[in-house]
């Protein structure tokens, strides 16, 4: 199953790259295998929706990669990308939870050292250093 997941991830990433290269008129720079998969993708686009053609082509690339990576037998189905129809090739990131505002006078407020106290401590250290060095 590890080989299957790696092959699926690689197939999805490679196909997205190939598709972008084709949109930028750089398909001629792709390897022959990639050009073959893109040609089959274009043929599938005439028969089905873009999502279905994309998934069918990725499935072909996945099966090819599965065999190349040492997978034995038929490539197993990967159910992890069932929600890909909703988001496409975009990974949805979650926003971090909103931080609670700090309480001004509550018990959760972090005690702050006054600036005057820090200054006074620095003066004491400086004077003590000058006194003991002479």
């Amino acid at each position: 199953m590890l080989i299957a997941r790696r092959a699926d991830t690689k197939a999805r990433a490679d196909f997205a790259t190939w598709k972008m290269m084709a949109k930028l008129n750089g398909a001629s720079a792709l390897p022959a295998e990639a050009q073959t998969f893109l040609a089959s993708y274009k043929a599938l686009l005439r028969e089905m929706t873009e999502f279905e053609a994309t998934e069918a082509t990725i499935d072909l690339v996945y099966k090819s990669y599965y065999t190349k990576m040492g997978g034995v037998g038929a490539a197993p189905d990967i159910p992890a990308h069932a929600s890909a129809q909703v988001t496409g090739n975009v990974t949805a990131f979650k926003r971090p939870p909103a931080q609670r505002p700090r309480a001004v006078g509550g018990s959760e407020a972090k005690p702050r050292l006054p600036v005057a106290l820090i200054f006074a401590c620095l003066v004491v250290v400086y004077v003590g250093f000058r006194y003991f060095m002479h």
Side-chain angles (χ1 to χ4, degrees):
M1 197 61 176
L2 183 63
I3 293 173
R5 287 184 198 268
R6 284 184 185 164
D8 182 63
T9 302
K10 184 170 173 36
R12 288 182 182 281
D14 284 353
F15 183 71
T17 303
W18 298 340
K19 201 170 161 183
M20 185 57 66
M21 290 284 292
K23 285 182 182 178
L24 297 173
N25 295 327
S28 60
L30 293 172
E33 182 185 31
Q35 291 179 8
T36 304
F37 284 122
L38 281 175
S40 68
Y41 170 70
K42 288 177 183 176
L44 289 172
L45 273 176
R46 293 184 203 114
E47 302 169 12
M48 53 184 75
T49 66
E50 183 180 355
F51 175 76
E52 292 170 334
T54 299
E55 287 301 312
T57 306
I58 288 174
D59 192 49
L60 291 172
V61 176
Y62 159 66
K63 288 176 182 175
S64 171
Y65 284 179
Y66 181 78
T67 306
K68 285 181 184 177
M69 291 180 168
V72 180
D77 290 332
I78 303 290
H81 295 286
S83 65
Q85 186 174 8
V86 176
T87 59
N89 285 335
V90 178
T91 302
F93 291 103
K94 292 183 180 178
R95 289 184 176 218
Q99 293 182 356
R100 290 183 279 154
R102 289 187 171 190
V104 176
S107 61
E108 292 183 26
K110 201 174 189 182
R112 300 191 63 177
L113 208 52
V115 176
L117 182 59
I118 294 172
F119 181 73
C121 289
L122 287 174
V123 169
V124 169
V125 168
Y126 177 76
V127 170
F129 183 74
R130 295 279 294 185
Y131 178 75
F132 288 114
M133 292 305 285
H134 283 93

